Amino acid sequence: MRPITPVQIVIGGCLLAFGASFLNTGFLLSTGASVSHLTGDIARIGSGLSNLGSSSGSHIFNVTSAALGFITGAIISGFLLHHPTVEISKPYGRILSVLGICLLISYATYSSAPVLSITIASAVCGAQNALASRYRGVVLRTTHLTGLFTDFGIHLGMKLRGHTVEGWKLLIPICLTCSFLVGAVISSAVALNALGNWLLLAGIGYLLGGMAWSFYKRTRSE
């Protein structure tokens, strides 16, 4: 079986970044909680703990469930894949399909149990972020941008200093950032203009994406 190429890494990473941003933006607009990264949630937990008696103190439940869900998802991903290095032999397609089903469950519970819905969606993002965090010396993150900007700055600085840096290592952060931005724009348009249910669309997208990758992987192994 042929290894995954840098081009496939960029394309796959862009699709995952788009999905995470699409999902995260929807939750930010509807609940104020981020499901794709923890920095803002931890800050909100801290501010909530200092104002438990205020009206904003109730928001702590949403962001706490998001943080715990993200960590749980990363733990599950680590348990299933054992190692964060990208390898085509790993069951990424099946896992993405399961994540899609989880998002459909999140959609089904959103109205009746929003905290549970947030927890499930955060676990999906945590699992996605831990699916493949390393590829040929590059740290891959598809649910938030801080690490991407850091890696881009490091590699660009090295290149300016005269070190040999492969072009795709600079291309990955740029492409993922653009995909993340596009995901936020489209999710906002869908949510604010009532063009459909963003959470339902996200679940269907992940499910179909996982099925597509499983099919593509099978054709490569034949």
Side-chain angles (χ1 to χ4, degrees):
M1 185 176 293
R2 290 172 293 178
I4 298 177
T5 66
V7 173
Q8 292 170 330
I9 288 293
V10 172
I11 294 174
C14 286
L15 292 175
L16 289 175
F18 174 90
S21 179
F22 187 94
L23 182 64
N24 184 61
T25 301
F27 272 102
L28 278 175
L29 291 174
S30 60
T31 68
S34 169
V35 297
S36 72
H37 57 278
L38 298 183
T39 305
D41 286 340
I42 297 300
R44 290 190 182 98
I45 291 173
S47 63
L49 287 174
S50 66
N51 295 282
L52 286 177
S54 68
S55 58
S56 62
S58 60
H59 184 60
I60 191 174
F61 294 107
N62 285 346
V63 295
T64 300
S65 64
L68 294 177
F70 191 96
I71 296 171
T72 301
I75 292 172
I76 293 173
S77 188
F79 177 81
L80 293 175
L81 295 177
H82 312 299
H83 198 280
T85 302
V86 177
E87 295 176 7
I88 196 171
S89 60
K90 293 181 179 178
Y92 297 126
R94 292 195 296 273
I95 292 176
L96 283 177
S97 294
V98 170
L99 295 184
I101 294 173
C102 289
L103 289 179
L104 294 178
I105 296 174
S106 177
Y107 163 72
T109 60
Y110 181 82
S111 298
S112 59
V115 172
L116 176 60
S117 178
I118 291 172
T119 302
I120 294 173
S122 296
V124 166
C125 286
Q128 172 183 314
N129 202 47
L131 275 180
S133 59
R134 291 185 180 86
Y135 177 72
R136 293 172 61 177
V138 175
V139 178
L140 302 174
R141 291 289 181 259
T142 59
T143 65
H144 56 272
L145 299 180
T146 305
L148 293 176
F149 288 147
T150 301
D151 293 339
F152 178 78
I154 291 173
H155 289 128
L156 181 59
M158 292 173 61
K159 190 172 185 63
L160 293 174
R161 184 62 185 263
H163 294 283
T164 301
V165 178
E166 296 174 275
W168 64 269
K169 291 185 178 181
L170 294 173
L171 183 64
I172 284 180
I174 295 174
C175 291
L176 294 187
T177 299
C178 291
S179 298
F180 204 91
L181 177 61
V182 172
V185 170
I186 295 180
S187 180
S188 298
V190 170
L192 298 177
N193 296 292
L195 300 177
N197 187 286
W198 51 271
L199 186 49
L200 176 61
L201 292 175
I204 294 173
Y206 272 75
L207 179 60
L208 294 179
M211 293 171 63
W213 175 255
S214 295
F215 176 78
Y216 174 71
K217 175 183 173 182
R218 183 172 299 177
T219 60
R220 287 173 57 91
S221 61
E222 293 177 351

